[in-house]
């Protein structure tokens, strides 16, 4: 039986699916295996997720396998819809839970995750059972509005709660002044009732929705307290409670909008139209209508409308909006450019290589927005705490109302204190403190070219004490150059031609260095056949009638190598060269030496990381020990682990995680995908324009600059410090107010003032992260 395999890019078969962990991938493999495919599974090659199909070529052709995969992918993509949407109208963290609970009851909704802080809904549904319209109707029935991502809700939607709150304050003031002026009690109560209605409008709506979802939340507690105050005749205090509660919410939302808009501003960086050269004429078209291959004219000072490559012209381009680089980068023919970046003084003609929805900026915005729907460990803890704490408070309040009167305490006083305790125990600040910090930190990171894909990765990055670095392309520039050729029985050009013929089939930086050097000498070669790449060792192929092998010493392990070859290898490696041996038809014909220089400033980066508390830094490489030691010594890395196969790197990262509890791995995202996945936090460099890095890592440094790493670590440490501070403020306010209200030392007015004050304080504290700059020591916020 002729067994064959076909590997297809998963992103092409299932466009729109976030990663290989999505349930649609399992659906795809199951569907294919029900056809004529023997086995379907997902593998990673060069850091990309690929669909690997095993089939019998005597039963089904390659073309038919491709058609099956395409048809299955299209079928699943049409049926299982993924959407990222914005929800307007949420005014408390519990609103997100209510919406999730309501959507989960719709038959066909497979996933609904809502972030109150970011006002985002991440949705997956089965289109054969439900629809976008059905989801929208359910959300609108709850009193919220569903908007497309990055759509603006309008002035009224953004400020209505503040308007209602101020109106409640005016009515409260009117009732108080009426009493001072000697107006009848009915007039004052009329003002207070109106203040109740206006100030409690949104609170009542949210409380009803929560109760309908069988949950007790903060709004419920506030309403019960206000109703209790009215029942005791404390109309002014009840109206004051609802006024301050609504005002606190409105101010909290205004502050949170600042963090949301920091993310939305990224989406507005790309221009809305582009000047395109078509059929000899220049026409202006919306960026959504740009096609691959279109030639876009970008004038001085304009933003680039799409990802592409320069065809004509030279200019310095400010890439800070995408990569965070502080200095403009010179661009010329064949250089890559990104949507949202700013052209300098020259005119550029750019060929579009990605559609508007596929650009680096668009994907970056999408990933940052999705990051807000992923709860951090601290947020998960506070959610669990609230689910226990709020019912416990309600039970405690019932006892506080019922028990003291049995002991002779006046019922009115007991009831009033119970209502004050309700206010005191409402954990508003606890609910908002962590998501506000995460939202602000992720937004700030994105502004400076660092993509953090969720609160969990933010917190984990902030507690790291160990980081492993890949050598090639991370510690070094990743641009090795050919330095030495030692040929035996052939000329240097003949040896280099053979090596380049094979290495032209590899994307490894060392292989490309050989090909570049051969082309620089004007050498030409024919295509090899029967190419076999030996992972981490080298490559074999047939070239004409000759069997050629090129690789490191591991490729020829256990074989006899002449003294001449061994001497050359030792000489070159002692000089810090990476060596590759060439063998033709079983006879070694030479040694090639290459050198990759350390990145400028790496030593300073490592020093800065140590000052931030990352005491353990390790370099991992497949290169030989002597070369690795030389690079490590040059940058100040003492822990160097060399001669590692790809699986050895995974094991090394696993050992660091076991030793230190948590460990990060920094690589280029392409060749280091498995090791990045094994680390607590996988950090990829050079994410701009690199789909693999954007998908493979938990944290992406958009520029090819290791100097962004201390900023990312420092920001994460600052975020963790803010989260701890917010927890302390929130829990401290509750711990202070509960006994104070229980024993009558504080009334409803003071309780709600401190309650709302603590909520605003934690939000403002979180917003400090939006101005964070690299600090001289961990936890400091500039």
């Amino acid at each position: 039986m002729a067994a064959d395999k076909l590997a297809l890019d998963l992103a092409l078969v299932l466009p729109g699916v976030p990663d290989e962990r999505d349930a649609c991938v399992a659906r795809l493999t199951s569907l294919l295996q029900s056809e004529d495919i023997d086995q379907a599974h997902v593998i990673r090659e060069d850091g990309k997720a690929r669909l690997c199909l095993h089939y019998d070529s005597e039963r089904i052709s390659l073309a038919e396998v491709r058609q099956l995969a395409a048809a299955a992918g299209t079928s699943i993509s049409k049926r299982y819809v993924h959407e990222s949407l914005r929800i307007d109208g949420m005014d408390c963290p519990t609103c997100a839970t209510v919406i999730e609970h309501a959507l989960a009851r719709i038959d066909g909704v497979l996933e609904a995750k809502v972030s109150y802080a970011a006002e985002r809904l991440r949705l997956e549904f089965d289109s054969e059972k439900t629809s976008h319209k059905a989801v929208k109707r359910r959300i609108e029935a709850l009193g919220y509005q569903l908007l497309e991502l990055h759509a603006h809700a309008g002035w009224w939607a953004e400020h209505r709660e503040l308007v209602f709150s101020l109106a409640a304050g005016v009515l409260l003031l009117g009732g108080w002044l009426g009493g001072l002026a000697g107006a009848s009690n009915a007039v004052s109560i009329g003002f207070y009732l109106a203040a109740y209605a206006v100030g409690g409008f949104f609170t009542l709506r949210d409380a009803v929705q929560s109760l309908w979802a069988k949950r007790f939340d903060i709004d419920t507690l506030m309403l019960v307290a206000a109703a209790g105050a009215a029942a005791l005749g404390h109309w002014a205090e009840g109206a004051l409670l609802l006024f301050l509660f609504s005002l606190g919410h409105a101010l909290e939302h205004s502050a949170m909008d600042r963090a949301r808009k920091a993310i939305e501003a990224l989406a507005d960086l790309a221009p809305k139209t582009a000047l395109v050269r078509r059929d000899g004429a220049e026409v202006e078209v919306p960026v959504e209508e740009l096609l691959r291959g279109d030639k876009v004219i970008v004038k001085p000072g304009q933003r680039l409308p799409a990802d592409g490559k320069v065809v004509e012209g030279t200019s310095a381009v400010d890439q800070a909006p995408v990569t965070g680089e502080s200095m403009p980068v010179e661009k010329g023919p064949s250089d890559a450019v990104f949507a949202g970046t700013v052209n300098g003084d020259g005119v550029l003609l750019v060929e579009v290589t990605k559609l508007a929805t596929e650009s680096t900026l668009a994907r970056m915005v999408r990933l940052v927005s999705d990051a807000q729907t992923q709860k951090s460990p601290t947020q998960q803890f506070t959610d669990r705490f609230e689910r226990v704490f709020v019912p416990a408070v309600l039970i405690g309040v019932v006892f506080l109302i019922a028990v003291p009167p049995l002991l002779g305490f006046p019922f009115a006083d007991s009831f009033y204190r119970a209502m004050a305790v309700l206010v005191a125990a409402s954990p508003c600040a606890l609910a908002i403190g962590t998501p506000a910090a995460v939202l602000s930190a992720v937004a700030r990171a994105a502004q400076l070219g660092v993509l953090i894909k969720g609160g969990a990765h933010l917190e984990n990055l902030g507690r790291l004490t160990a980081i492993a670095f890949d050598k090639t392309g991370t510690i070094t520039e990743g641009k090795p150059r050919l330095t030495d050729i030692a040929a035996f029985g052939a000329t240097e050009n003949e040896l280099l031609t053979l090596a380049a013929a094979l290495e032209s089939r590899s994307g490894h930086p060392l292989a490309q260095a050989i090909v570049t050097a051969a082309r620089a000498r004007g050498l030409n070669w024919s295509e090899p056949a029967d190419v076999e790449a030996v992972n981490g060792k080298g490559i074999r192929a047939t070239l004409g009638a000759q069997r050629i092998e090129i690789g490191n010493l591991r490729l020829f392990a256990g074989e006899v190598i002449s003294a001449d070859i061994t001497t050359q290898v030792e000489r070159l490696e002692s000089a810090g060269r990476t060596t590759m041996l060439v063998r033709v038809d079983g006879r070694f014909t030479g040694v090639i030496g290459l050198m990759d220089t350390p990145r400028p400033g790496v030593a300073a980066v490592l020093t800065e990381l140590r000052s931030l508390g990352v005491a353990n830094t390790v370099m991992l490489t497949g290169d030989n020990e002597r070369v690795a030691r030389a690079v490590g010594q040059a940058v100040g890395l003492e822990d160097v682990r060399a001669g590692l196969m790809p699986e050895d790197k995974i094991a090394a990262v696993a050992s660091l995680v076991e030793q230190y509890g948590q460990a990060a791995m920094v690589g280029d995202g392409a060749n280091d995908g498995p090791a990045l996945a094994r680390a607590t936090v996988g950090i990829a460099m050079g994410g701009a324009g690199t789909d693999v890095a954007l998908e493979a890592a938990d944290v992406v440094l958009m520029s090819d600059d290791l100097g962004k790493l201390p900023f990312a670590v420092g920001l994460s440490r600052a975020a963790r410090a803010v989260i701890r501070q917010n927890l302390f403020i929130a829990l401290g306010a509750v711990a202070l107010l509960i006994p104070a209200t229980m024993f009558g030392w504080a009334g409803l007015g003071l309780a709600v003032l401190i309650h709302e004050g603590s909520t605003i304080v934690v939000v403002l504290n979180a917003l400090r992260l939006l101005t964070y700059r690299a600090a001289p020591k961990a936890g400091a916020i500039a």
Side-chain angles (χ1 to χ4, degrees):
M1 184 178 71
D4 289 276
K5 289 192 297 185
L6 172 65
L8 300 171
D9 191 341
L10 185 63
L12 297 178
V13 181
L14 281 177
V17 171
D19 55 47
E20 62 265 36
R21 293 168 292 185
D22 191 89
C24 281
V25 177
R27 297 181 188 115
L28 175 66
T29 55
S30 177
L31 179 59
L32 286 170
Q33 286 174 175
S34 68
E35 303 286 345
D36 283 332
I37 305 298
D38 296 329
Q39 184 185 2
H41 61 105
V42 175
I43 60 173
R44 275 203 165 265
E45 288 183 352
D46 298 329
K48 278 190 176 182
R50 297 186 186 276
L51 177 67
C52 184
L53 304 175
H54 300 248
Y55 64 99
D56 182 356
S57 59
E58 294 180 356
R59 192 173 70 243
I60 184 172
S61 68
L62 175 62
E64 289 173 322
V65 172
R66 288 184 180 277
Q67 289 173 357
L68 274 176
T74 301
S75 171
I76 289 174
S77 295
K78 285 183 177 179
R79 178 173 177 180
Y80 299 99
V81 180
H82 298 74
E83 291 187 337
S84 184
L85 303 162
R86 180 177 174 185
I87 296 180
D88 178 58
M90 294 189 293
D91 55 16
C92 65
T94 309
C95 296
T97 306
V98 169
I99 295 170
E100 287 179 351
H101 187 79
L103 295 183
R105 293 210 298 260
I106 298 177
D107 183 31
V109 170
L110 305 172
E111 180 187 51
K113 290 187 177 180
V114 180
S115 167
Y116 162 68
E119 294 185 336
R120 293 289 183 266
L121 163 64
R122 191 170 71 188
L123 178 70
E124 181 186 0
F125 63 88
D126 183 344
S127 62
E128 293 185 2
K129 296 181 178 180
T130 189
S131 65
H132 175 92
K133 287 184 178 179
V135 171
K136 185 176 181 180
R137 282 196 301 269
R138 178 63 60 87
I139 290 173
E140 289 177 348
L142 294 172
Y144 308 106
Q145 186 179 1
L146 189 62
L147 305 172
E148 296 303 319
L149 198 59
H150 310 304
H152 296 287
W155 185 91
W156 172 247
E158 290 185 3
H159 298 92
R160 62 193 173 196
E161 192 172 7
L162 181 60
V163 172
F164 271 66
S165 175
L166 293 177
V170 170
L171 291 168
L172 171 64
L173 181 63
W176 180 69
L177 291 176
L180 289 180
S184 68
N185 194 42
V187 171
S188 294
I189 290 178
F191 272 101
Y192 292 141
L193 275 172
Y196 262 71
V198 176
F201 178 81
F202 292 105
T203 305
L204 176 62
R205 182 199 67 176
D206 295 335
V208 169
Q209 291 164 358
S210 297
L211 291 171
W212 182 68
K214 299 177 182 178
R215 293 181 62 92
F216 290 104
D217 67 354
I218 295 160
D219 295 284
T220 307
L221 301 186
M222 287 295 178
L223 273 182
V224 172
L232 293 173
H234 296 282
W235 290 99
E237 285 194 276
L240 176 65
L241 184 156
L242 291 176
F243 162 61
L244 291 176
F245 183 65
S246 61
L247 179 63
H249 267 227
L251 295 176
E252 171 198 319
H253 295 159
S254 296
M256 290 296 292
D257 278 343
R258 186 179 162 201
R260 294 182 189 120
K261 287 174 181 175
I263 291 177
E264 291 170 1
L266 292 172
D268 295 331
L269 288 175
K272 305 301 180 187
T273 61
L275 188 61
V276 184
R277 184 179 293 173
R278 287 180 179 169
D279 301 324
E282 295 180 3
V283 294
E284 190 167 344
V285 302
V287 292
E288 293 82 8
E289 296 180 10
L290 287 175
L291 304 174
R292 291 185 183 88
D294 274 343
K295 303 296 192 300
V296 176
I297 299 168
V298 187
K299 297 178 180 179
Q302 290 184 339
R303 290 188 181 272
L304 277 83
D307 282 16
K309 63 179 179 181
V310 177
V311 178
E312 294 177 11
T314 58
S315 184
V317 176
D318 179 4
Q319 299 192 145
V322 173
T323 66
E325 293 168 284
S326 57
M327 298 297 292
V329 179
E330 290 293 332
K331 298 288 183 178
S334 299
D335 287 339
V337 289
F338 311 112
T341 57
V342 184
N343 187 23
D345 296 331
V347 177
L348 296 177
L349 183 65
V350 176
E351 180 180 337
V352 175
T353 58
K354 292 183 179 179
L355 303 180
T357 56
E358 300 171 346
S359 72
T360 298
L361 180 63
R363 297 187 68 187
M364 184 176 172
V365 171
R366 189 160 58 246
L367 289 168
V368 170
S369 297
D370 287 347
Q372 306 310 313
T373 64
Q374 300 173 20
K375 295 182 178 180
S376 71
T378 304
Q379 192 175 349
Q380 291 171 5
F381 161 76
T382 56
D383 287 348
R384 291 193 301 269
F385 177 81
E386 280 186 65
R387 283 198 292 268
V388 175
F389 180 71
V390 172
V393 168
L394 289 173
I395 293 170
V397 165
V398 170
F399 275 96
L400 195 57
I401 293 172
V403 174
L406 298 177
L407 304 175
F409 198 80
F411 174 79
D413 290 347
S414 175
F415 190 83
Y416 179 84
R417 290 186 184 184
M419 297 303 100
V421 169
L422 270 181
V423 174
S426 299
C428 278
L430 185 65
I432 194 62
T434 299
V438 170
L439 177 69
S440 300
V442 170
R444 181 55 176 166
Q447 286 176 337
L448 295 185
V450 177
L451 177 59
I452 301 175
K453 292 188 181 178
H457 308 310
L458 176 74
E459 288 197 30
N460 288 336
L461 185 61
R463 59 167 66 97
L464 290 173
T465 59
I467 299 181
F469 297 87
D470 179 57
K471 180 179 77 71
T472 305
T474 303
I475 296 297
T476 63
E477 292 183 339
K479 299 176 181 177
R481 66 184 191 279
L482 180 70
T483 56
D484 304 88
I485 300 177
F488 300 92
T491 66
E492 287 190 2
N493 281 354
E494 288 173 341
L495 184 68
L496 186 56
T497 299
L498 294 175
L502 269 66
E503 298 295 11
S504 65
R505 301 293 294 273
S506 171
H508 194 280
L510 293 175
Q512 292 305 302
I514 291 175
V515 173
T516 300
R519 285 178 177 157
R521 295 191 183 194
L523 303 178
N524 297 301
W525 52 85
S526 57
E527 281 295 308
D530 301 325
V531 177
E532 178 194 355
V534 184
N535 202 10
K537 297 178 181 180
I539 191 168
R540 301 186 180 103
T542 300
L543 193 64
Q546 297 177 309
R547 184 63 177 171
I548 314 296
E549 298 166 280
I550 177 170
N552 53 36
L553 285 172
R554 291 197 300 273
L555 184 64
F556 308 102
E559 301 186 26
V560 178
I561 301 176
S562 69
D564 289 342
I565 295 291
T566 303
T567 299
Q568 289 294 338
V569 169
E570 291 177 350
R571 178 182 67 82
L572 293 172
E573 289 185 355
S574 63
R577 298 329 190 233
T578 299
T579 57
M580 302 181 76
L581 286 65
V582 181
R583 186 165 70 174
V584 180
D585 291 334
R587 186 176 66 85
F588 289 99
T589 57
V591 181
I592 295 174
L594 303 104
M595 188 172 184
D596 189 9
T597 55
R599 288 178 180 269
V602 170
V605 167
L606 295 172
T607 299
E608 196 171 351
L609 286 173
R610 292 184 189 109
S611 72
L612 287 167
V614 183
N616 309 287
T617 49
V618 183
M619 186 173 77
L620 309 178
T621 179
D623 216 334
N624 67 78
E625 184 79 21
R626 278 176 288 195
V627 171
R629 289 289 173 194
V631 172
Q633 186 174 5
V635 299
L637 268 169
E638 295 182 2
D639 192 346
V640 174
R641 305 183 188 184
L644 301 179
M645 299 290 286
E647 57 269 24
D648 297 329
K649 289 185 181 180
I650 300 172
V653 172
S655 71
L656 289 173
V657 172
E658 184 177 351
Q659 182 178 357
Y660 299 108
Q662 292 186 325
M665 171 72 186
V666 185
D668 62 10
N671 299 317
D672 307 308
L676 292 178
R678 181 63 186 86
T680 309
V681 182
I683 304 170
M685 291 176 54
T690 308
D691 294 346
V692 174
L694 286 172
E695 298 298 341
D698 305 314
V699 176
V700 182
L701 311 182
M702 298 302 291
S703 66
D704 195 26
D705 176 16
L706 198 61
K708 293 290 182 185
L709 185 56
F711 160 76
V713 172
L715 173 63
S716 299
R717 276 170 161 48
R720 288 193 69 233
V722 166
I723 289 170
R724 287 195 301 269
Q725 292 162 8
N726 284 354
L727 287 176
F728 178 81
I729 292 169
L731 293 173
V734 171
L736 175 70
L737 282 175
I738 287 178
T741 51
M742 188 180 296
F743 293 107
W745 304 328
L748 268 175
L750 182 59
V752 75
L753 189 64
I754 295 176
H755 173 273
E756 290 306 312
S758 66
T759 302
I760 294 172
V761 166
V762 299
V763 171
L764 294 177
N765 190 40
L767 291 183
R768 292 192 301 137
L769 292 166
L770 287 174
T771 62
Y772 176 86
R773 294 188 180 277
K777 60 181 180 179
I781 302 177

